[in-house]
């Protein structure tokens, strides 16, 4: 089954908000903290419809600004979780797989190192296809970072 977003791109209704709580809050967040979790919309599909993006509240984020976030699509009247990651943002890439943009999630490792996980949609969910670490030289910030494969287990 291919998850396709609602073509109208409308906002989340009360039934969908309940599904968000069931899909994300119950397994991941304290219910009291969810009221501070930002919920918004993002266009990842080639039909330009909107998907729902949820980020954990700030108190759930690490010192480096890495937060949990999730992307959900509408599929036959229900929300389906298609992406879940921890990082400080989501980079939408110009390439597509199975109707959805590829994405990259940066994750601060230290003041000079950022891990990037690259994901592609496989028709059901996003799966990681690449991982690398960019290491910046603080004494030569004008230089491009050194790029290395992710450490084992990352």
């Amino acid at each position: 089954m291919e998850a396709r977003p609602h073509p109208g791109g409308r906002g989340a209704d009360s039934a969908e908000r309940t599904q968000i709580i069931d899909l994300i809050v119950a397994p991941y967040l304290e219910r009291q903290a969810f009221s501070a979790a930002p919920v918004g919309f993002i266009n990842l599909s080639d039909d330009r419809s909107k998907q729902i993006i949820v980020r954990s509240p700030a108190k759930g984020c690490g010192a480096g600004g890495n937060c949990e976030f999730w992307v959900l699509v509408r599929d036959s009247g229900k929300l389906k979780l298609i992406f879940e990651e921890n990082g400080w943002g989501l980079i939408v890439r110009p390439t597509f797989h199975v109707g959805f943009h590829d994405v990259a999630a940066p994750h601060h490792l230290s003041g000079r190192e950022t891990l990037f996980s690259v994901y592609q949609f496989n028709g059901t969910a996003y799966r990681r296809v690449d991982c690398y670490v960019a290491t910046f030289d603080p004494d030569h910030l004008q230089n491009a970072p050194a790029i290395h494969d992710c450490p084992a287990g990352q």
Side-chain angles (χ1 to χ4, degrees):
M1 165 186 82
E2 182 178 330
R4 296 302 300 173
H6 186 278
R10 62 177 169 72
D13 60 26
S14 62
E16 288 175 337
R17 289 186 204 110
T18 300
Q19 291 178 56
I20 291 170
I21 290 171
D22 291 343
L23 288 167
I24 295 172
V25 177
Y28 301 103
L29 302 173
E30 297 174 17
R31 200 168 285 272
Q32 300 87 343
F34 182 70
S35 62
V39 177
F41 299 95
I42 189 168
N43 293 325
L44 295 176
S45 66
D46 59 1
D47 68 2
R48 303 180 56 84
S49 61
K50 293 180 182 178
Q51 294 72 55
I52 297 170
I53 186 166
V54 180
R55 193 199 73 182
S56 64
K59 81 174 202 172
C61 301
N66 297 315
C67 301
E68 292 288 331
F69 56 96
W70 303 268
V71 175
L72 303 104
V73 295
R74 295 175 173 104
D75 184 17
S76 303
K78 294 202 178 259
L79 293 181
K80 180 178 177 196
L81 182 65
I82 62 166
F83 184 77
E84 170 183 357
E85 180 57 280
N86 178 291
W88 56 265
L90 188 64
I91 300 166
V92 179
R93 298 169 57 111
T95 52
F96 286 87
H97 282 86
V98 195
F100 281 79
H101 278 281
D102 298 345
V103 297
H107 182 96
H108 286 299
L109 296 178
S110 70
R112 53 186 290 248
E113 289 184 306
T114 300
L115 180 145
F116 290 87
S117 293
V118 180
Y119 292 84
Q120 294 175 347
F121 191 69
N122 67 7
T124 304
Y126 277 91
R127 298 290 179 238
R128 187 162 81 169
V129 296
D130 193 14
C131 182
Y132 59 93
V133 176
T135 303
F136 297 86
D137 180 349
D139 296 325
H140 301 95
L141 290 176
Q142 72 278 10
N143 295 344
I147 305 296
H148 308 281
D149 289 334
C150 282
Q154 288 285 342

